[in-house]
Amino acid sequence: MTAHLVEFRVGPAADLPVGEGRAYAAGATMVAVFRLRDGSLRAVSAVCPHAGGPIADGIADSAVVICPMHQHVFDLATGCSKTGQPPLAVYPVRVDDEGELVVGLPD
Amino acid sequence: MERLVVIGNGMAGARTVEEILDRGGRERFAITMFGEEPYGNYNRILLSNVLSGVEDEADIFLNSLPWYEENGITLRAGVRVERIDRFARVVRAADGTVTPYDKLIIATGSRPYVPPIDGMHHPRRGYHQGVFTFRTIDDTRAMIRYARDHERAVVIGGGLLGLEAARGLQQHGVQVTLLHSAATLMNAQLDAQAGAILRRNVESLGITVEVSARTVAVVGRDRVEGVRLADGRTIPSDMVVVAAGIRANVEVAALSGLPVERAILVDDHMRVLDETDIYAVGECVQHRGQTYGLVAPLWEQARVLADQITGRDRTAAYHGSRTATKLKVAGVDVAAMGITTPERDDDEFVVYSEPRRGVYKSVIVRDDRLIGATLLGDVSKVGFLMQAFDRGLPLPEERVRLLFDLGGPPAEESAAELDDGAQVCNCNGVSKGDLVTTVHSGVKTVGGVMDATRAGKGCGSCKSLVAQIVEWAAGGTVEEDPTATWYVPGVPMDKPALMAAIRAQGLKSVSAVFDALAGGREDAKSKMGLVSLLRMMWGEEYQDERGARFINDRVHANIQRDGTFSVVPQMKGGVTTPDQLRRIADVADKYQVPMVKVTGGQRIDLLGIRKEDLPRVWADLDMPSGYAYAKSMRTVKTCVGSEFCRFGVGDSTTLGIAIESRFQGLESPAKMKLAVTGCPRNCAEAYVKDLGVVAIDGGRWEIYVGGAAGAHVRKGDLLATVDSPDEVITLTGRFLQYYRENANWLERTYAFVPRIGIETIRSLIVDDSDGLAAGLDERMAAAVAAYTDPWKEGAAPATAGQFRTALPLLPLPVVPVRERDPA
Ligand SMILES: Cc1cc2nc3c(=O)[nH]c(=O)nc-3n(C[C@H](O)[C@H](O)[C@H](O)COP(=O)(O)OP(=O)(O)OC[C@H]3O[C@@H](n4cnc5c(N)ncnc54)[C@H](O)[C@@H]3O)c2cc1C
Ligand code: SF4
Ligand code: FES
């Protein structure tokens, strides 16, 4: 089965600083995009499943992001929580030729 | 494989299954668990904390849904079993399924007892919507929701559960009346004298208590309007919580023809009487005439049941439990065990009562064994008494030592004396034997043993006993938890080694530290601590990486529970001007600030500011940051002092402002709150601050350090008495710098000062015994000189999108670029 992806341009990649996350709207979905220190990108759902915390405001490393509200930890590659919470959704993310961040959402 | 079915997924059911898995049960049984509640297994005890808001619902789960899957258990959550067919050996559930078993465990617990009260229950409509019981997560959620927008609550039942419910509801702002039908609160555990003192203690929390108050009716048809008592009075109320006791949940067992009296009858092997393959465990069980309403006994039962059902130990037997009760209500300490009043002529009965202070203690000793104890108001001796009660430890000759710490038997002695079965952690049911086995299996650190057994992971009150037992069991080979001394979890070094390496290698950014000292492995949990350390060490030379900072430190404001921020402008020493007030008021109007609040640190807090508004709010305020968010110097609270106060002997306001001006915004391992007060009357609460200054007669000043009045309360230790404000500022700087350089990450001064010892600190800082003073002063001066107001960043953001919202406030829709199949 191949799932269709709908891609959204959410903003200029240059505006996403290294080591930080920002929240974007992709259609009706809020997505938190992180630029890791090695330059790679990760995109996960922006709202913490624990109590709605802003994931984009969390601290990330190459593997996980910590929600700033109650410090629950989520794997950036799989979305799984390492602290017993429901998972975050993960989305494909890339930069297109014009330097825009592009996030893919399942159709 | 044999089929094992468990009815009931509560504390006893899940615990028993864990014990069975521990004994190789996974290879032996195909396990199916039924739970009426639609959740995994949670710690019911902690619902009281969830209600009072101390704990998050998410944090009380013991076994999450994936745990069942990982252990090959089929969990039928949200499915009620209706009947057991003992002859066909199947259970029938409400969803119509029929599940065969070879072995069956019943762990259905209890349900709340609701006395017959008019108007509470409608034959067709069920319970009145404003009436609640307190047993499950769903009950707790419903109560919280209702309490939030109602004003008055009545709690029926003055036992353990009723008291916890009353206190919990209060936290949601409702006015609570507690109705108890007996004459004494907690009458199952307390005598009349102790009950009267408890009542006073509870009333002093603002809870109205009525004893000998029998509720006969709930008044109000569509919504609760009050309750009526037998004496004719009506107590107005919007909601009613019934906590009048519990009844074992035995319908399924009774309906299926199993032997039931008050609960399901079991033998010493936890087997249902006259059944070969059916066991029962927990609150639904009656053993030798006893039923239990606390968790400690069910851990013992679970072990015996597991030994029997797996055949691991056929000699295992349950002999009944001695139980002790502890109230989990902040502000009212009660612990009770065994009998409450002497029963025989030669029972020794030692009582100490101090009603005015709300303190009552009694012990009952028979044949040199403790058979009962009651502690109220001061429960410092509860640890020893519980052990003595449980295990029959030898008692001190002078019985008064049972009530007061005149030096009870030293702790190490009791660690050796405990017998193996003795339960150490009551929250998670861990015995001394479990701890010892874990140590002998090679886990030699206290933290490791706690992780492996879950001991100490509940309320935490047993931690020191756990540590003692581990030390004793390891026979002197207990290993320091290596990570326990690390400054941050991701870099394997303690603070001095880490600082030395950072300095030697010139590491000025967080990523440089990871690259040089952690093999390039980043660790999110370590970042905040490293930022703080590097900023302290390098001042202006520190190379900032914004992503390493906590959100508060990225936007210089304190994140609130709804994702908005609070803004607190600087107000040195709590002194302000009409002009500042006007500006604050204008900003509050302009940005529609939902709450303007005076803080405990004498400043004005604007709560509910949106992240994207922060730069404009700061610009409009045109005042410097008050640092209400960072791990840094927060505020210097002052009283009015000699300038205006009749009693003042020193100008506390001026000195407070001077201190705040000098040390504003200073980074530190944890927040620092200071105060200066103009005389020992202490209106600015200087004795309980990280550093507090008190003016005393003769123009002198006392400096206290290591005080706290937060979650911990501690009076600071006197560091020095000096003759001038200048000396206060010098010593303050020196102490703060010493603390900055030597404290562990997040270690407040109230932990730091006792750890180092006030004598040591005094000799280093005041007497300069090691010649450190000049260096400390110099480094502090450099840090002070490097100060810049972070709110200036509002005008020139440090990174792109620094103040972009991260909340789900959806901006304009974005158009999809194209569709494609992923490769
Ligand atoms: C608010 C509160 C605070 C407490 N505080 C303390 C304390 O401080 N100290 C202490 O020792 N104890 C305390 N207790 C008591 C403690 O929680 C109980 O002793 C313990 O939970 C009993 O465990 P159990 O497994 O026997 O019953 P439960 O934990 O009640 O589990 C029984 C489970 O079986 C399920 N069930 C019942 N019938 C069926 C059926 N027919 N089919 C399927 N599933 C069924 C129920 O839904 C329930 O989940 C407290 C209890 C409450 C409610
Ligand atoms: S502490 Fe002393 S000087 Fe300060 S306000 Fe109180 S009474 Fe007055
Ligand atoms: S909201 Fe994310 S951890 Fe609580």
Side-chain angles (χ1 to χ4, degrees):
Chain A
M1 198 188 76
T2 49
H4 277 274
L5 283 181
V6 182
E7 293 202 315
F8 293 89
R9 284 180 155 180
V10 294
D15 286 357
L16 178 59
V18 173
E20 292 191 61
R22 294 286 182 261
Y24 299 95
T29 309
M30 287 295 288
V31 179
V33 182
F34 290 85
R35 185 195 293 280
L36 307 184
R37 294 215 57 83
D38 66 4
S40 63
L41 298 168
R42 299 281 183 280
V44 294
S45 35
V47 183
C48 181
H50 174 235
I55 292 294
D57 280 345
I59 295 185
D61 60 24
S62 54
V64 301
V65 57
I66 308 177
C67 176
M69 280 291 167
H70 312 93
Q71 280 69 50
H72 281 296
V73 181
F74 300 90
D75 191 306
L76 280 170
T78 63
C80 290
S81 167
K82 312 216 155 190
T83 47
Q85 294 304 305
L88 295 172
V90 259
Y91 306 105
V93 54
R94 63 188 178 89
V95 180
D96 71 10
D97 300 341
E98 284 145 54
E100 288 278 313
L101 287 169
V102 179
V103 177
L105 261 63
D107 199 358
Chain B
M1 277 221 279
E2 279 188 279
R3 292 162 300 191
L4 169 62
V5 170
V6 183
I7 310 176
N9 180 34
M11 300 197 72
R15 181 59 178 217
T16 305
V17 169
E18 281 183 40
E19 295 282 347
I20 291 173
L21 292 175
D22 276 352
R23 290 162 178 72
R26 176 152 190 186
E27 279 69 55
R28 180 154 179 189
F29 295 112
I31 305 177
T32 305
M33 298 188 75
F34 287 89
E36 197 174 351
E37 293 178 76
Y39 308 104
N41 170 240
Y42 61 90
N43 190 339
R44 202 174 299 284
I45 300 184
L46 297 180
L47 289 178
S48 306
N49 291 357
V50 172
L51 181 64
S52 64
V54 179
E55 206 136 3
D56 251 0
E57 199 181 88
D59 300 332
I60 70 168
F61 278 88
L62 296 167
N63 301 106
S64 61
L65 297 176
W67 177 87
Y68 292 89
E69 216 170 286
E70 280 156 26
N71 286 289
I73 299 164
T74 311
L75 174 64
R76 309 285 305 280
V79 180
R80 178 183 156 80
V81 169
E82 302 208 303
R83 203 186 167 90
I84 304 159
D85 188 335
R86 292 144 66 213
F87 305 105
R89 299 163 72 84
V90 295
V91 299
R92 294 176 193 283
D95 63 354
T97 55
V98 178
T99 311
Y101 67 81
D102 299 304
K103 301 263 186 231
L104 179 67
I105 297 175
I106 307 174
T108 46
S110 346
R111 66 183 60 218
Y113 167 66
V114 181
I117 293 175
D118 281 350
M120 182 123 75
H121 193 263
H122 189 279
R124 278 193 313 280
R125 285 181 301 172
Y127 282 113
H128 210 305
Q129 61 145 340
V131 173
F132 302 86
T133 55
F134 188 18
R135 177 78 193 175
T136 63
I137 284 200
D138 290 335
D139 293 339
T140 313
R141 283 182 189 159
M143 265 194 273
I144 292 175
R145 229 179 292 127
Y146 210 80
R148 279 203 187 124
D149 38 49
H150 289 82
E151 273 153 29
R152 295 158 306 178
V154 156
V155 175
I156 299 177
L160 200 69
L161 198 60
L163 285 165
E164 291 183 5
R167 184 62 172 153
L169 286 171
Q170 244 195 336
Q171 306 310 309
H172 301 279
V174 283
Q175 185 58 45
V176 184
T177 305
L178 183 72
L179 304 176
H180 189 48
S181 57
T184 303
L185 283 187
M186 286 183 71
N187 53 305
Q189 290 90 11
L190 302 182
D191 65 14
Q193 195 183 355
I197 293 178
L198 173 63
R199 176 180 174 175
R200 287 240 295 271
N201 293 358
V202 172
E203 283 172 336
S204 73
L205 297 174
I207 295 169
T208 310
V209 180
E210 301 271 355
V211 293
S212 308
R214 204 161 59 76
T215 312
V216 293
V218 170
V219 189
R221 227 187 106 74
D222 296 322
R223 43 177 211 92
V224 172
E225 283 159 18
V227 299
R228 193 156 49 246
L229 303 181
D231 63 11
R233 280 186 301 154
T234 300
I235 313 271
S237 164
D238 312 314
M239 67 187 287
V240 175
V241 174
V242 186
I246 53 172
R247 293 288 181 271
N249 223 335
V250 296
E251 281 88 275
V252 177
L255 201 72
S256 313
L258 293 171
V260 168
E261 287 175 6
R262 273 181 302 136
I264 306 168
L265 302 181
V266 296
D267 63 17
D268 288 0
H269 292 170
M270 305 313 296
R271 216 181 292 247
V272 175
L273 241 46
D274 301 323
E275 292 291 329
T276 45
D277 296 314
I278 306 182
Y279 297 79
V281 62
E283 275 185 359
C284 62
V285 151
Q286 179 174 336
H287 171 261
R288 298 192 189 178
Q290 284 290 329
T291 56
Y292 297 96
L294 294 169
V295 294
L298 57 92
W299 304 144
E300 293 173 49
Q301 297 174 352
R303 273 195 292 270
V304 172
L305 198 168
D307 278 336
Q308 290 293 344
I309 206 169
T310 58
R312 174 64 60 93
D313 177 5
R314 294 284 185 207
T315 63
Y318 178 65
H319 301 295
S321 305
R322 293 151 131 313
T323 56
T325 309
K326 249 162 117 181
L327 190 60
K328 305 185 293 292
V329 171
V332 195
D333 288 318
V334 180
M337 58 204 88
I339 61 174
T340 55
T341 40
E343 292 166 349
R344 297 189 195 159
D345 285 349
D346 54 355
D347 283 349
E348 293 172 61
F349 186 36
V350 187
V351 187
Y352 173 84
S353 164
E354 200 186 341
R356 219 178 47 80
R357 264 205 323 133
V359 174
Y360 177 91
K361 309 180 183 199
S362 72
V363 291
I364 303 168
V365 176
R366 180 181 299 166
D367 302 332
D368 265 331
R369 287 195 54 154
L370 185 69
I371 58 163
T374 306
L375 297 174
L376 229 97
D378 168 11
V379 292
S380 53
K381 295 292 288 176
V382 68
F384 175 72
L385 290 176
M386 276 224 208
Q387 290 173 47
F389 174 75
D390 233 22
R391 293 136 214 171
L393 297 186
L395 304 179
E397 262 317 302
E398 289 172 89
R399 302 299 197 219
V400 61
R401 287 176 184 276
L402 290 167
L403 301 183
F404 294 98
D405 249 328
L406 312 170
E412 309 80 65
E413 221 171 276
S414 57
E417 270 166 7
L418 300 184
D419 58 59
D420 269 359
Q423 184 147 308
V424 177
C425 172
N426 287 324
C427 293
N428 289 315
V430 185
S431 67
K432 174 183 168 189
D434 300 335
L435 297 174
V436 173
T437 317
T438 311
V439 173
H440 291 165
S441 75
V443 187
K444 293 271 158 52
T445 66
V446 176
V449 172
M450 283 173 44
D451 284 341
T453 59
R454 297 204 306 212
K457 302 249 163 175
C459 70
S461 65
C462 63
K463 273 189 196 154
S464 68
L465 185 58
V466 172
Q468 284 159 21
I469 292 171
V470 171
E471 272 157 32
W472 169 82
T477 61
V478 63
E479 289 159 17
E480 279 282 304
D481 227 331
T483 61
T485 59
W486 298 354
Y487 177 70
V488 288
V491 185
M493 292 179 163
D494 64 12
K495 186 164 179 176
L498 181 59
M499 284 175 66
I502 288 173
R503 199 168 292 120
Q505 303 183 38
L507 308 171
K508 295 186 181 167
S509 70
V510 171
S511 54
V513 172
F514 287 132
D515 287 344
L517 307 176
R521 214 170 319 103
E522 267 190 290
D523 175 49
K525 285 206 177 95
S526 305
K527 289 188 175 182
M528 280 171 69
L530 290 175
V531 170
S532 163
L533 187 70
L534 292 168
R535 280 166 90 171
M536 189 267 286
M537 290 178 64
W538 296 111
E540 286 174 303
E541 287 174 64
Y542 159 72
Q543 285 162 12
D544 193 14
E545 286 162 352
R546 283 287 156 152
R549 300 187 183 191
F550 188 61
I551 185 64
N552 287 2
D553 277 310
R554 267 181 264 164
V555 301
H556 317 296
N558 199 355
I559 192 166
Q560 306 293 317
R561 59 183 302 169
D562 62 351
T564 64
F565 290 82
S566 76
V567 167
V568 181
Q570 189 176 56
M571 204 169 268
K572 290 177 187 167
V575 175
T576 182
T577 62
D579 174 51
Q580 283 187 339
L581 290 173
R582 245 185 310 268
R583 255 182 288 156
I584 291 173
D586 287 343
V587 165
D589 275 344
K590 179 165 170 190
Y591 296 92
Q592 295 172 1
V593 172
M595 169 122 103
V596 181
K597 186 164 190 331
V598 175
T599 71
Q602 297 182 329
R603 299 178 296 185
I604 294 177
D605 194 353
L606 302 167
L607 291 132
I609 307 260
R610 295 182 304 165
K611 191 177 170 194
E612 58 273 34
D613 285 341
L614 288 171
R616 278 174 294 144
V617 167
W618 296 335
D620 289 350
L621 280 172
D622 196 22
M623 292 166 67
S625 168
Y627 285 92
Y629 45 86
K631 303 293 175 222
S632 70
M633 214 290 285
R634 292 285 182 95
T635 137
V636 181
K637 189 170 181 175
T638 63
C639 71
V640 295
S642 56
E643 228 181 319
F644 286 94
C645 176
R646 284 180 295 140
F647 303 105
V649 295
D651 188 350
S652 48
T653 311
T654 301
L655 179 54
I657 293 175
I659 294 177
E660 185 160 344
S661 306
R662 182 159 174 81
F663 303 113
Q664 59 191 342
L666 199 68
E667 291 280 321
S668 58
K671 61 187 169 194
M672 303 188 292
K673 296 180 171 181
L674 282 58
V676 184
T677 207
C679 83
R681 284 182 180 79
N682 190 28
C683 294
E685 294 151 358
Y687 295 124
V688 287
K689 292 292 176 186
D690 292 293
L691 185 141
V693 182
V694 182
I696 56 171
D697 218 14
R700 313 189 72 208
W701 302 84
E702 290 179 335
I703 304 174
Y704 290 83
V705 294
H712 287 71
V713 179
R714 180 177 193 271
K715 186 180 179 213
D717 298 319
L718 181 63
L719 177 71
T721 306
V722 298
D723 296 318
S724 69
D726 282 349
E727 286 168 87
V728 171
I729 290 185
T730 307
L731 283 185
T732 299
R734 213 178 280 164
F735 170 77
L736 295 184
Q737 185 64 15
Y738 181 73
Y739 165 66
R740 278 166 24 109
E741 292 180 10
N742 293 286
N744 296 320
W745 174 234
L746 300 183
E747 183 180 36
R748 292 284 304 262
T749 60
Y750 63 72
F752 175 75
V753 170
R755 173 163 73 81
I756 306 289
I758 186 68
E759 285 78 21
T760 309
I761 295 178
R762 189 181 298 125
S763 90
L764 291 175
I765 284 179
V766 185
D767 310 331
D768 196 14
S769 55
D770 288 9
L772 302 178
L776 290 169
D777 291 349
E778 195 181 307
R779 292 191 292 278
M780 177 52 96
V784 165
Y787 171 77
T788 50
D789 177 15
W791 282 5
K792 296 257 154 49
E793 262 174 26
T799 57
Q802 183 180 3
F803 300 104
R804 200 187 145 94
T805 181
L807 286 171
L809 301 168
L810 288 171
L812 293 173
V814 186
V815 190
V817 281
R818 66 198 152 100
E819 273 189 37
R820 61 162 189 164
D821 283 345

